[in-house]
Amino acid sequence: SASCPNGDPDPMDCTNALGGGNDPELDPEATFAWTDITYLLHKYGVSWRYYVFKGDEPDCEDDEAMTCAPVPQGPKTPGIWNPLADFTDVKEDGQKGNIQSLTNFYTAVQGSSECGLPNVSWIVPNGTVSEHPPARVSTGQAYVTTLINSIMRSPCWDSTAIFLSWDDWGGFYVHVVPPDIDENGYGLRVPGLVISPYAKAGYIDHQQLSHDAYLKFIEDDFLSEQR
């Protein structure tokens, strides 16, 4: 998380913000000027899309709250599950059109002759399929299975690596203390699955990784290790 002066587009003026930062829900004028991965993707001509499932946001703004009033989300609605819409570089690069409805994902993946997906895709759920209370875990599992099956049955499969990740660990106790690596540190462990024709069947990777490893993979695979 970072905090940037309102209205200041210079990413070098942003500072680390432990436990939070710019929040458009609290400050509609909040500026997100630090550079995200889409800046490099656009610069090097690597196609990307961020698919948003229309509905209500999957989680409450207040991390301590179990339930809250529904907050609508969609590709045109910036929020905690659609952050790119507020990023300065996405706006200045003319890339806001890459934030699309999940319907566009299904249209792209169902092409019969060639893969219609971009090089890099993100897909985020809505509240109904998020596995967050009070939603049913089984509904979320069915949603994820449908997404993955649609790719596996498409021309995209032979060139695809799917990274399935959760933002919560799903329980009330974990016996492994998060490693203390810097001032921000790591949080509790969360599941991460790699589903791909290139993945080792039945393999468990014991590397200690954080979510930025997904970005590193994108940089290594598409950007010649650009950072």
Side-chain angles (χ1 to χ4, degrees):
S1 295
S3 181
C4 310
N6 283 357
D8 182 350
D10 186 352
M12 302 310 294
D13 291 338
C14 301
T15 58
N16 183 56
L18 180 61
N22 298 64
D23 187 342
E25 298 292 331
L26 301 177
D27 182 3
E29 303 301 320
T31 298
F32 293 79
W34 69 93
T35 310
D36 66 85
I37 188 70
T38 68
Y39 172 79
L40 286 176
L41 296 177
H42 173 67
K43 181 178 179 181
Y44 289 93
V46 179
S47 59
W48 66 271
R49 299 287 186 275
Y50 189 90
Y51 296 108
V52 180
F53 196 176
K54 289 184 178 180
D56 293 329
E57 288 187 347
D59 202 3
C60 299
E61 298 286 342
D62 181 359
D63 288 335
E64 300 298 323
M66 284 291 291
T67 59
C68 54
V71 177
Q73 78 167 12
K76 305 298 184 183
T77 309
I80 59 174
W81 288 80
N82 184 18
L84 288 176
D86 270 329
F87 269 77
T88 300
D89 61 347
V90 175
K91 297 175 183 176
E92 292 186 350
D93 287 340
Q95 298 288 286
K96 291 188 70 173
N98 287 343
I99 306 169
Q100 299 180 359
S101 168
L102 184 61
T103 303
N104 292 45
F105 161 81
Y106 283 112
T107 300
V109 81
Q110 287 171 355
S112 58
S113 59
E114 60 182 9
C115 180
L117 291 175
N119 296 125
V120 178
S121 299
W122 290 271
I123 302 176
V124 296
N126 62 21
T128 302
V129 299
S130 68
E131 301 184 23
H132 278 280
R136 296 176 63 89
V137 172
S138 57
T139 304
Q141 291 175 339
Y143 155 77
V144 170
T145 301
T146 300
L147 289 174
I148 294 171
N149 284 349
S150 67
I151 295 175
M152 294 180 73
R153 294 167 179 163
S154 78
C156 302
W157 175 239
D158 290 341
S159 59
T160 290
I162 300 169
F163 296 93
L164 176 57
S165 180
W166 287 260
D167 72 319
D168 292 326
W169 76 106
F172 297 97
Y173 174 81
V174 63
H175 68 285
V176 177
V177 177
D180 185 13
I181 60 166
D182 58 23
E183 62 181 306
N184 293 323
Y186 279 0
L188 298 173
R189 298 179 302 168
V190 294
L193 302 178
V194 182
I195 304 167
S196 172
Y198 302 99
K200 298 178 182 178
Y203 180 74
I204 298 175
D205 191 341
H206 293 282
Q207 290 185 83
Q208 179 177 289
L209 300 170
S210 62
H211 280 83
D212 57 1
Y214 299 123
L215 301 181
K216 183 176 183 293
F217 175 86
I218 293 171
E219 292 166 347
D220 291 346
D221 202 37
F222 294 104
L223 300 168
S224 302
E225 301 184 359
Q226 293 290 325
R227 301 281 185 259

